[in-house]
Amino acid sequence: KVIDICETGDTVIVANGVYVEKIIIDRFVYLIGSSQDSCIIDGSNEPSEEVVSFTSDGTIENFTIKARGQNQPTDCVLTFFTNVFMKNCKLQNGRNALLLLQSSSIIENCLLLFSSRSINTACPTDTCFGIYRNNVIFTKNSSDNTIYHFLGGSSITTSNLVLSDGSSQFGVSFESQNRVVFSNNLVSGFQNTN
């Protein structure tokens, strides 16, 4: 609710606590949680399709974001024609931990846990350039690609751990991308390779 009174460019420092709500970030703000493990946006009971939705560019750091479950139609974070800098966040239990559409976002030092797809991107205009680095991604019981860069754009995916407990099907997939840099990543524990 504090975002509604923010001006573009404001910094919001969020105190530790559990915030049971859906958040729409509709202006550029710096949203900084006090602590990743103690500053929680809980959308596990939200009927909406995403817990945090960026309709404007923005920065988010030091949060845990929980969705309804990997087999439920809820994403942790959605960007659509926006660019997000995300750092030191934990996203868990989403259909997609990150659904990045037409987005040149930077995602670093995050934990992406127990989602059907941890990173799902699409950029049909071929103008996006995403950077995904130093993340730990863990999935289980998923038949989807854990990282799925689909339909256009360019990406750098580097220095990530992409892990499954052995029950998930696929690790990483790139389809129809303009440019891909995939380096220094460990992908392990998946039933199939693609």
Side-chain angles (χ1 to χ4, degrees), residues 29-93:
V29 294
Y30 298 90
L31 192 61
I32 313 295
S34 297
S35 165
Q36 179 193 85
D37 290 326
S38 301
C39 198
I40 300 167
I41 302 170
D42 186 351
S44 60
N45 292 315
E46 283 292 314
S48 63
E49 290 189 16
E50 61 276 335
V51 178
V52 177
S53 177
F54 282 88
T55 60
S56 177
D57 296 349
T59 294
I60 185 167
E61 296 183 36
N62 306 330
F63 281 91
T64 291
I65 302 170
K66 295 181 179 180
R68 292 191 318 199
Q70 71 182 39
N71 296 317
Q72 300 296 318
T74 305
D75 303 320
C76 294
V77 175
L78 168 69
T79 69
F80 188 63
F81 285 96
T82 59
N83 304 313
V84 173
F85 176 71
M86 178 181 288
K87 183 177 180 182
N88 301 329
C89 288
K90 180 179 1 175
L91 282 59
Q92 62 189 56
N93 301 329

Side-chain angles (χ1 to χ4, degrees), residues 100-128:
L100 307 171
L101 306 173
Q102 291 293 130
S103 178
S104 293
S105 292
I106 299 172
I107 311 300
E108 66 180 25
N109 301 334
C110 292
L111 295 170
L112 309 177
L113 307 173
F114 313 121
S115 295
S116 290
R117 283 200 172 128
S118 294
I119 300 173
N120 188 358
T121 69
C123 185
T125 61
D126 234 2
T127 58
C128 308

